[in-house]
Amino acid sequence: MAKVTIKVNGKNQTRNVEDRTLLADFLRDELGLTGTHVGCDTSQCGCCTVHVNGRAVKSCSMLAVQANGAQVLTIEGLAKNGKLHPVQRAFSECHGLQCGFCTPGMIMATVGLLKDKPNPSEDDIIHGLEGNLCRCTGYINIVKAVKMGAKLMRGKGKRR
Amino acid sequence: MYALNYVKARSLEEAARMLASHPEAKVLAGGMTLVPTLKQRLARPSHLVDILQLAELRGIAAKGGRLSIGAASRHDDVATSVVVKKAIPALAELAGLIGDPQVRNMGTIGGSLANNDPAADYPAAVLGLGATVFTNRREIAADEFFQGLFATALEEGEIITRVVFAVPKRAAYAKFHHPASGYAMAGVFIALTRDGVRVAVTGAGPGVFRWKAAESALSKSLEPSALEGAALDASELNQDIHASRDYRANLVRVMAKRALAKLSGKK
Ligand SMILES: Cc1cc2nc3c(=O)[nH]c(=O)nc-3n(C[C@H](O)[C@H](O)[C@H](O)COP(=O)(O)OP(=O)(O)OC[C@H]3O[C@@H](n4cnc5c(N)ncnc54)[C@H](O)[C@@H]3O)c2cc1C
Ligand code: FES
Ligand code: FES
């Protein structure tokens, strides 16, 4: 067993967990943050994407103990004071989802992408989301949503 | 995953000591190969010795015609490093082609080399550039390091600390990636080094290898036509549900031509 303290969405969380506990399971089972999804067994789908110390990572492929002392941001930590994050708003407005299973991971990966590339080309978006699979949308509206999210974040989009 | 003990090493020496006293312990770097393997219960280490944070394994620096990359450098660190882009742009480009952004944010060069997946990208650059792999015990030349399917010259408990590249005159990498996994179906790294042309091939065979026939052809002419006659024995290449041997042999030739075109600035 290991005592693990992780700052999740700005709040320190300490738990005693088995060393083999995956970060995704720590978030879901220990903290009840079920917005982080687990969609595969092969580290390929990206549903479980969260940010660890500002980098987008697959939380199903990392142990909770590896994140001991780190800052973790999950989909639940994006909205501020009941207001959706611009990328969340963009996914909603552009219908960037159907069943929604891939969406938390898509959004976390997008937020990571826009940090490096605030004005991404279509190619940047496609390559930037290579680690995330969607079985429903065919990606067209996801790409649209990323473009809109980028615009909103650059402060050029319409505000409502 | 089977139960195990996780230890965060505080120094390279402590990591080496842990590995020596626990024969079933394994080094953990980015975990992008090891954690999925543990999840499938394909390995059962007693301990994981985390080396990702060790200062001895970090840092990227160029000096006197050599580029040194710490073993714990993540793929994204290498892909975006100004130092690497300036010294060996093809290496930065290669790192940026590995897997996907999340994988590049965790996976390391040391982990990739120690694992020596037959379809991994870094082995092509390290062999193609004739780099030297430094460990906590010795230096190993790339030509000796890679020993076929998931096999390397590393001994039990030996830890890669850094990789040192002699900066080539020019180098280029072309990869045909598997659309689902991102790994190379065929990847060819060509380097014009001070000691001549080197051509390394990954993805196509049971392990990274030097395509010597292409090396001698290219040492006479750097025209793509020079590759037409270079012999490549398809019977030694991989055959699986993704591609036949002959298909892979053709891919290798096509990737070599693409790398050559990049090398000559023709994109
Ligand atoms: C979805 C996905 C796609 C991928 N696509 C690609 C791709 O396109 N191309 C590609 O090349 N790779 C790809 N990879 C693999 C990735 O590059 C891994 O990062 C890499 O193979 C292992 O590096 P790591 O730091 O994660 O090592 P770990 O997983 O931590 O370790 C791997 C092995 O190396 C050993 N090890 C680690 N560091 C050292 C060291 N310093 N000294 C000695 N032994 C060490 C470990 O004990 C273990 O046996 C992909 C992985 C995933 C999950
Ligand atoms: S659940 Fe993490 S990549 Fe699929
Ligand atoms: S919306 Fe269903 S998987 Fe993407």
Side-chain angles (χ1 to χ4, degrees), chain A residues 90-121:
Chain A
F91 268 74
S92 150
E93 288 188 20
C94 298
H95 301 283
L97 60 139
Q98 285 178 24
C99 78
F101 197 85
C102 69
T103 316
M106 284 287 177
I107 289 178
M108 295 313 289
T110 301
V111 173
L113 167 69
L114 296 182
K115 263 195 221 175
D116 298 334
K117 299 207 162 85
N119 191 8
S121 66

PDB file of all heavy atoms in Angstrom, chain A residues 90-121:
ATOM      1  N   ALA A  90     -17.828  24.760 -27.003  1.00  0.00           N
ATOM      2  CA  ALA A  90     -17.688  24.530 -28.442  1.00  0.00           C
ATOM      3  C   ALA A  90     -18.140  23.116 -28.816  1.00  0.00           C
ATOM      4  O   ALA A  90     -18.827  22.935 -29.822  1.00  0.00           O
ATOM      5  CB  ALA A  90     -16.240  24.757 -28.857  1.00  0.00           C
ATOM      6  N   PHE A  91     -17.781  22.105 -28.012  1.00  0.00           N
ATOM      7  CA  PHE A  91     -18.215  20.735 -28.315  1.00  0.00           C
ATOM      8  C   PHE A  91     -19.742  20.648 -28.264  1.00  0.00           C
ATOM      9  O   PHE A  91     -20.359  19.974 -29.073  1.00  0.00           O
ATOM     10  CB  PHE A  91     -17.593  19.723 -27.337  1.00  0.00           C
ATOM     11  CG  PHE A  91     -16.293  19.151 -27.837  1.00  0.00           C
ATOM     12  CD1 PHE A  91     -15.131  19.913 -27.829  1.00  0.00           C
ATOM     13  CD2 PHE A  91     -16.231  17.855 -28.355  1.00  0.00           C
ATOM     14  CE1 PHE A  91     -13.938  19.401 -28.304  1.00  0.00           C
ATOM     15  CE2 PHE A  91     -15.039  17.333 -28.830  1.00  0.00           C
ATOM     16  CZ  PHE A  91     -13.891  18.102 -28.805  1.00  0.00           C
ATOM     17  N   SER A  92     -20.342  21.337 -27.309  1.00  0.00           N
ATOM     18  CA  SER A  92     -21.788  21.309 -27.199  1.00  0.00           C
ATOM     19  C   SER A  92     -22.429  22.017 -28.391  1.00  0.00           C
ATOM     20  O   SER A  92     -23.326  21.491 -29.051  1.00  0.00           O
ATOM     21  CB  SER A  92     -22.177  21.932 -25.856  1.00  0.00           C
ATOM     22  OG  SER A  92     -23.420  22.554 -25.934  1.00  0.00           O
ATOM     23  N   GLU A  93     -21.925  23.195 -28.729  1.00  0.00           N
ATOM     24  CA  GLU A  93     -22.560  23.980 -29.802  1.00  0.00           C
ATOM     25  C   GLU A  93     -22.338  23.372 -31.182  1.00  0.00           C
ATOM     26  O   GLU A  93     -23.188  23.489 -32.058  1.00  0.00           O
ATOM     27  CB  GLU A  93     -22.053  25.424 -29.772  1.00  0.00           C
ATOM     28  CG  GLU A  93     -22.632  26.162 -28.592  1.00  0.00           C
ATOM     29  CD  GLU A  93     -22.325  27.649 -28.589  1.00  0.00           C
ATOM     30  OE1 GLU A  93     -21.984  28.196 -29.662  1.00  0.00           O
ATOM     31  OE2 GLU A  93     -22.412  28.252 -27.511  1.00  0.00           O
ATOM     32  N   CYS A  94     -21.180  22.748 -31.398  1.00  0.00           N
ATOM     33  CA  CYS A  94     -20.891  22.178 -32.722  1.00  0.00           C
ATOM     34  C   CYS A  94     -21.350  20.732 -32.843  1.00  0.00           C
ATOM     35  O   CYS A  94     -21.052  20.072 -33.826  1.00  0.00           O
ATOM     36  CB  CYS A  94     -19.393  22.237 -33.020  1.00  0.00           C
ATOM     37  SG  CYS A  94     -18.733  23.886 -33.075  1.00  0.00           S
ATOM     38  N   HIS A  95     -22.040  20.201 -31.849  1.00  0.00           N
ATOM     39  CA  HIS A  95     -22.407  18.779 -31.834  1.00  0.00           C
ATOM     40  C   HIS A  95     -21.183  17.910 -32.048  1.00  0.00           C
ATOM     41  O   HIS A  95     -21.177  17.021 -32.890  1.00  0.00           O
ATOM     42  CB  HIS A  95     -23.475  18.464 -32.885  1.00  0.00           C
ATOM     43  CG  HIS A  95     -24.728  19.244 -32.681  1.00  0.00           C
ATOM     44  ND1 HIS A  95     -25.660  18.934 -31.708  1.00  0.00           N
ATOM     45  CD2 HIS A  95     -25.185  20.367 -33.295  1.00  0.00           C
ATOM     46  CE1 HIS A  95     -26.631  19.821 -31.740  1.00  0.00           C
ATOM     47  NE2 HIS A  95     -26.379  20.697 -32.679  1.00  0.00           N
ATOM     48  N   GLY A  96     -20.143  18.192 -31.277  1.00  0.00           N
ATOM     49  CA  GLY A  96     -18.901  17.424 -31.391  1.00  0.00           C
ATOM     50  C   GLY A  96     -19.002  16.087 -30.671  1.00  0.00           C
ATOM     51  O   GLY A  96     -17.967  15.527 -30.288  1.00  0.00           O
ATOM     52  N   LEU A  97     -20.195  15.609 -30.441  1.00  0.00           N
ATOM     53  CA  LEU A  97     -20.368  14.314 -29.770  1.00  0.00           C
ATOM     54  C   LEU A  97     -21.708  13.710 -30.114  1.00  0.00           C
ATOM     55  O   LEU A  97     -22.631  14.424 -30.513  1.00  0.00           O
ATOM     56  CB  LEU A  97     -20.290  14.472 -28.250  1.00  0.00           C
ATOM     57  CG  LEU A  97     -21.317  15.400 -27.598  1.00  0.00           C
ATOM     58  CD1 LEU A  97     -21.833  14.800 -26.305  1.00  0.00           C
ATOM     59  CD2 LEU A  97     -20.686  16.751 -27.330  1.00  0.00           C
ATOM     60  N   GLN A  98     -21.760  12.365 -29.980  1.00  0.00           N
ATOM     61  CA  GLN A  98     -23.052  11.690 -30.086  1.00  0.00           C
ATOM     62  C   GLN A  98     -23.314  10.956 -28.780  1.00  0.00           C
ATOM     63  O   GLN A  98     -24.027  11.450 -27.930  1.00  0.00           O
ATOM     64  CB  GLN A  98     -23.072  10.772 -31.309  1.00  0.00           C
ATOM     65  CG  GLN A  98     -23.202  11.601 -32.605  1.00  0.00           C
ATOM     66  CD  GLN A  98     -23.178  10.757 -33.854  1.00  0.00           C
ATOM     67  OE1 GLN A  98     -23.502   9.579 -33.837  1.00  0.00           O
ATOM     68  NE2 GLN A  98     -22.786  11.369 -34.965  1.00  0.00           N
ATOM     69  N   CYS A  99     -22.658   9.801 -28.564  1.00  0.00           N
ATOM     70  CA  CYS A  99     -22.905   9.107 -27.288  1.00  0.00           C
ATOM     71  C   CYS A  99     -22.185   9.809 -26.133  1.00  0.00           C
ATOM     72  O   CYS A  99     -22.576   9.692 -24.986  1.00  0.00           O
ATOM     73  CB  CYS A  99     -22.479   7.648 -27.358  1.00  0.00           C
ATOM     74  SG  CYS A  99     -20.698   7.394 -27.197  1.00  0.00           S
ATOM     75  N   GLY A 100     -21.102  10.520 -26.438  1.00  0.00           N
ATOM     76  CA  GLY A 100     -20.406  11.283 -25.409  1.00  0.00           C
ATOM     77  C   GLY A 100     -19.343  10.519 -24.646  1.00  0.00           C
ATOM     78  O   GLY A 100     -18.686  11.085 -23.772  1.00  0.00           O
ATOM     79  N   PHE A 101     -19.153   9.249 -24.996  1.00  0.00           N
ATOM     80  CA  PHE A 101     -18.193   8.465 -24.212  1.00  0.00           C
ATOM     81  C   PHE A 101     -16.759   8.974 -24.369  1.00  0.00           C
ATOM     82  O   PHE A 101     -15.996   9.046 -23.414  1.00  0.00           O
ATOM     83  CB  PHE A 101     -18.258   6.976 -24.593  1.00  0.00           C
ATOM     84  CG  PHE A 101     -17.622   6.101 -23.554  1.00  0.00           C
ATOM     85  CD1 PHE A 101     -18.338   5.666 -22.451  1.00  0.00           C
ATOM     86  CD2 PHE A 101     -16.281   5.760 -23.642  1.00  0.00           C
ATOM     87  CE1 PHE A 101     -17.743   4.891 -21.463  1.00  0.00           C
ATOM     88  CE2 PHE A 101     -15.669   4.985 -22.658  1.00  0.00           C
ATOM     89  CZ  PHE A 101     -16.413   4.553 -21.573  1.00  0.00           C
ATOM     90  N   CYS A 102     -16.402   9.377 -25.577  1.00  0.00           N
ATOM     91  CA  CYS A 102     -15.025   9.815 -25.842  1.00  0.00           C
ATOM     92  C   CYS A 102     -14.804  11.263 -25.436  1.00  0.00           C
ATOM     93  O   CYS A 102     -13.676  11.750 -25.421  1.00  0.00           O
ATOM     94  CB  CYS A 102     -14.708   9.662 -27.329  1.00  0.00           C
ATOM     95  SG  CYS A 102     -15.621  10.848 -28.368  1.00  0.00           S
ATOM     96  N   THR A 103     -15.925  11.981 -25.168  1.00  0.00           N
ATOM     97  CA  THR A 103     -15.864  13.444 -25.073  1.00  0.00           C
ATOM     98  C   THR A 103     -14.956  13.999 -23.975  1.00  0.00           C
ATOM     99  O   THR A 103     -14.174  14.922 -24.254  1.00  0.00           O
ATOM    100  CB  THR A 103     -17.301  14.019 -24.936  1.00  0.00           C
ATOM    101  OG1 THR A 103     -18.139  13.345 -25.875  1.00  0.00           O
ATOM    102  CG2 THR A 103     -17.326  15.506 -25.195  1.00  0.00           C
ATOM    103  N   PRO A 104     -15.000  13.466 -22.746  1.00  0.00           N
ATOM    104  CA  PRO A 104     -14.088  14.041 -21.736  1.00  0.00           C
ATOM    105  C   PRO A 104     -12.634  13.978 -22.180  1.00  0.00           C
ATOM    106  O   PRO A 104     -11.883  14.944 -22.017  1.00  0.00           O
ATOM    107  CB  PRO A 104     -14.333  13.155 -20.507  1.00  0.00           C
ATOM    108  CG  PRO A 104     -15.690  12.577 -20.698  1.00  0.00           C
ATOM    109  CD  PRO A 104     -15.853  12.401 -22.178  1.00  0.00           C
ATOM    110  N   GLY A 105     -12.249  12.843 -22.775  1.00  0.00           N
ATOM    111  CA  GLY A 105     -10.873  12.687 -23.241  1.00  0.00           C
ATOM    112  C   GLY A 105     -10.573  13.609 -24.408  1.00  0.00           C
ATOM    113  O   GLY A 105      -9.495  14.212 -24.491  1.00  0.00           O
ATOM    114  N   MET A 106     -11.529  13.725 -25.332  1.00  0.00           N
ATOM    115  CA  MET A 106     -11.362  14.618 -26.484  1.00  0.00           C
ATOM    116  C   MET A 106     -11.141  16.053 -25.995  1.00  0.00           C
ATOM    117  O   MET A 106     -10.289  16.774 -26.508  1.00  0.00           O
ATOM    118  CB  MET A 106     -12.619  14.604 -27.377  1.00  0.00           C
ATOM    119  CG  MET A 106     -12.766  13.376 -28.232  1.00  0.00           C
ATOM    120  SD  MET A 106     -11.567  13.406 -29.591  1.00  0.00           S
ATOM    121  CE  MET A 106     -11.933  11.807 -30.334  1.00  0.00           C
ATOM    122  N   ILE A 107     -11.944  16.451 -25.014  1.00  0.00           N
ATOM    123  CA  ILE A 107     -11.866  17.831 -24.528  1.00  0.00           C
ATOM    124  C   ILE A 107     -10.541  18.062 -23.796  1.00  0.00           C
ATOM    125  O   ILE A 107      -9.873  19.080 -24.023  1.00  0.00           O
ATOM    126  CB  ILE A 107     -13.096  18.161 -23.649  1.00  0.00           C
ATOM    127  CG1 ILE A 107     -14.336  18.252 -24.553  1.00  0.00           C
ATOM    128  CG2 ILE A 107     -12.887  19.459 -22.864  1.00  0.00           C
ATOM    129  CD1 ILE A 107     -15.635  18.520 -23.831  1.00  0.00           C
ATOM    130  N   MET A 108     -10.132  17.111 -22.974  1.00  0.00           N
ATOM    131  CA  MET A 108      -8.852  17.292 -22.257  1.00  0.00           C
ATOM    132  C   MET A 108      -7.682  17.316 -23.250  1.00  0.00           C
ATOM    133  O   MET A 108      -6.733  18.084 -23.092  1.00  0.00           O
ATOM    134  CB  MET A 108      -8.651  16.193 -21.209  1.00  0.00           C
ATOM    135  CG  MET A 108      -9.663  16.197 -20.064  1.00  0.00           C
ATOM    136  SD  MET A 108      -9.974  17.804 -19.311  1.00  0.00           S
ATOM    137  CE  MET A 108      -8.440  18.103 -18.444  1.00  0.00           C
ATOM    138  N   ALA A 109      -7.755  16.467 -24.286  1.00  0.00           N
ATOM    139  CA  ALA A 109      -6.684  16.461 -25.295  1.00  0.00           C
ATOM    140  C   ALA A 109      -6.693  17.780 -26.067  1.00  0.00           C
ATOM    141  O   ALA A 109      -5.635  18.344 -26.377  1.00  0.00           O
ATOM    142  CB  ALA A 109      -6.857  15.282 -26.246  1.00  0.00           C
ATOM    143  N   THR A 110      -7.895  18.287 -26.351  1.00  0.00           N
ATOM    144  CA  THR A 110      -7.997  19.558 -27.077  1.00  0.00           C
ATOM    145  C   THR A 110      -7.419  20.706 -26.262  1.00  0.00           C
ATOM    146  O   THR A 110      -6.671  21.544 -26.792  1.00  0.00           O
ATOM    147  CB  THR A 110      -9.480  19.864 -27.413  1.00  0.00           C
ATOM    148  OG1 THR A 110      -9.990  18.793 -28.200  1.00  0.00           O
ATOM    149  CG2 THR A 110      -9.618  21.169 -28.178  1.00  0.00           C
ATOM    150  N   VAL A 111      -7.754  20.738 -24.971  1.00  0.00           N
ATOM    151  CA  VAL A 111      -7.223  21.809 -24.122  1.00  0.00           C
ATOM    152  C   VAL A 111      -5.693  21.743 -24.108  1.00  0.00           C
ATOM    153  O   VAL A 111      -5.010  22.767 -24.165  1.00  0.00           O
ATOM    154  CB  VAL A 111      -7.818  21.725 -22.692  1.00  0.00           C
ATOM    155  CG1 VAL A 111      -7.145  22.722 -21.760  1.00  0.00           C
ATOM    156  CG2 VAL A 111      -9.321  21.973 -22.726  1.00  0.00           C
ATOM    157  N   GLY A 112      -5.155  20.510 -24.091  1.00  0.00           N
ATOM    158  CA  GLY A 112      -3.698  20.338 -24.153  1.00  0.00           C
ATOM    159  C   GLY A 112      -3.140  20.834 -25.475  1.00  0.00           C
ATOM    160  O   GLY A 112      -2.143  21.555 -25.517  1.00  0.00           O
ATOM    161  N   LEU A 113      -3.796  20.485 -26.554  1.00  0.00           N
ATOM    162  CA  LEU A 113      -3.354  20.898 -27.892  1.00  0.00           C
ATOM    163  C   LEU A 113      -3.345  22.424 -28.034  1.00  0.00           C
ATOM    164  O   LEU A 113      -2.402  23.007 -28.567  1.00  0.00           O
ATOM    165  CB  LEU A 113      -4.294  20.279 -28.949  1.00  0.00           C
ATOM    166  CG  LEU A 113      -4.199  20.822 -30.380  1.00  0.00           C
ATOM    167  CD1 LEU A 113      -2.882  20.417 -31.016  1.00  0.00           C
ATOM    168  CD2 LEU A 113      -5.365  20.323 -31.233  1.00  0.00           C
ATOM    169  N   LEU A 114      -4.410  23.068 -27.527  1.00  0.00           N
ATOM    170  CA  LEU A 114      -4.530  24.515 -27.718  1.00  0.00           C
ATOM    171  C   LEU A 114      -3.513  25.307 -26.892  1.00  0.00           C
ATOM    172  O   LEU A 114      -3.237  26.466 -27.183  1.00  0.00           O
ATOM    173  CB  LEU A 114      -5.959  24.979 -27.394  1.00  0.00           C
ATOM    174  CG  LEU A 114      -7.044  24.408 -28.328  1.00  0.00           C
ATOM    175  CD1 LEU A 114      -8.409  24.967 -27.954  1.00  0.00           C
ATOM    176  CD2 LEU A 114      -6.729  24.712 -29.789  1.00  0.00           C
ATOM    177  N   LYS A 115      -2.948  24.646 -25.866  1.00  0.00           N
ATOM    178  CA  LYS A 115      -1.881  25.308 -25.101  1.00  0.00           C
ATOM    179  C   LYS A 115      -0.669  25.541 -25.999  1.00  0.00           C
ATOM    180  O   LYS A 115      -0.034  26.588 -25.942  1.00  0.00           O
ATOM    181  CB  LYS A 115      -1.443  24.395 -23.953  1.00  0.00           C
ATOM    182  CG  LYS A 115      -2.098  24.730 -22.652  1.00  0.00           C
ATOM    183  CD  LYS A 115      -1.331  24.031 -21.540  1.00  0.00           C
ATOM    184  CE  LYS A 115      -2.314  23.476 -20.555  1.00  0.00           C
ATOM    185  NZ  LYS A 115      -1.682  22.685 -19.525  1.00  0.00           N
ATOM    186  N   ASP A 116      -0.332  24.520 -26.805  1.00  0.00           N
ATOM    187  CA  ASP A 116       0.828  24.624 -27.690  1.00  0.00           C
ATOM    188  C   ASP A 116       0.481  25.352 -28.977  1.00  0.00           C
ATOM    189  O   ASP A 116       1.300  26.039 -29.557  1.00  0.00           O
ATOM    190  CB  ASP A 116       1.345  23.226 -28.083  1.00  0.00           C
ATOM    191  CG  ASP A 116       1.815  22.441 -26.877  1.00  0.00           C
ATOM    192  OD1 ASP A 116       2.203  23.091 -25.883  1.00  0.00           O
ATOM    193  OD2 ASP A 116       1.761  21.201 -26.916  1.00  0.00           O
ATOM    194  N   LYS A 117      -0.746  25.137 -29.450  1.00  0.00           N
ATOM    195  CA  LYS A 117      -1.149  25.687 -30.749  1.00  0.00           C
ATOM    196  C   LYS A 117      -2.486  26.401 -30.611  1.00  0.00           C
ATOM    197  O   LYS A 117      -3.527  25.828 -30.893  1.00  0.00           O
ATOM    198  CB  LYS A 117      -1.267  24.556 -31.777  1.00  0.00           C
ATOM    199  CG  LYS A 117       0.045  23.805 -32.012  1.00  0.00           C
ATOM    200  CD  LYS A 117       0.075  23.217 -33.408  1.00  0.00           C
ATOM    201  CE  LYS A 117       1.473  22.849 -33.835  1.00  0.00           C
ATOM    202  NZ  LYS A 117       1.898  21.532 -33.387  1.00  0.00           N
ATOM    203  N   PRO A 118      -2.453  27.683 -30.192  1.00  0.00           N
ATOM    204  CA  PRO A 118      -3.710  28.397 -29.958  1.00  0.00           C
ATOM    205  C   PRO A 118      -4.525  28.614 -31.238  1.00  0.00           C
ATOM    206  O   PRO A 118      -5.721  28.852 -31.164  1.00  0.00           O
ATOM    207  CB  PRO A 118      -3.266  29.753 -29.371  1.00  0.00           C
ATOM    208  CG  PRO A 118      -1.782  29.764 -29.389  1.00  0.00           C
ATOM    209  CD  PRO A 118      -1.259  28.454 -29.857  1.00  0.00           C
ATOM    210  N   ASN A 119      -3.859  28.518 -32.390  1.00  0.00           N
ATOM    211  CA  ASN A 119      -4.578  28.713 -33.654  1.00  0.00           C
ATOM    212  C   ASN A 119      -4.257  27.557 -34.594  1.00  0.00           C
ATOM    213  O   ASN A 119      -3.574  27.713 -35.591  1.00  0.00           O
ATOM    214  CB  ASN A 119      -4.161  30.057 -34.272  1.00  0.00           C
ATOM    215  CG  ASN A 119      -5.060  30.440 -35.431  1.00  0.00           C
ATOM    216  OD1 ASN A 119      -6.076  29.793 -35.684  1.00  0.00           O
ATOM    217  ND2 ASN A 119      -4.664  31.475 -36.167  1.00  0.00           N
ATOM    218  N   PRO A 120      -4.771  26.358 -34.273  1.00  0.00           N
ATOM    219  CA  PRO A 120      -4.330  25.166 -35.002  1.00  0.00           C
ATOM    220  C   PRO A 120      -4.939  25.062 -36.398  1.00  0.00           C
ATOM    221  O   PRO A 120      -6.082  25.461 -36.614  1.00  0.00           O
ATOM    222  CB  PRO A 120      -4.849  24.018 -34.118  1.00  0.00           C
ATOM    223  CG  PRO A 120      -6.057  24.584 -33.452  1.00  0.00           C
ATOM    224  CD  PRO A 120      -5.795  26.050 -33.256  1.00  0.00           C
ATOM    225  N   SER A 121      -4.153  24.527 -37.336  1.00  0.00           N
ATOM    226  CA  SER A 121      -4.681  24.218 -38.663  1.00  0.00           C
ATOM    227  C   SER A 121      -5.463  22.914 -38.551  1.00  0.00           C
ATOM    228  O   SER A 121      -5.387  22.214 -37.542  1.00  0.00           O
ATOM    229  CB  SER A 121      -3.523  24.038 -39.643  1.00  0.00           C
ATOM    230  OG  SER A 121      -2.778  22.892 -39.278  1.00  0.00           O
TER     231      SER A 121
END
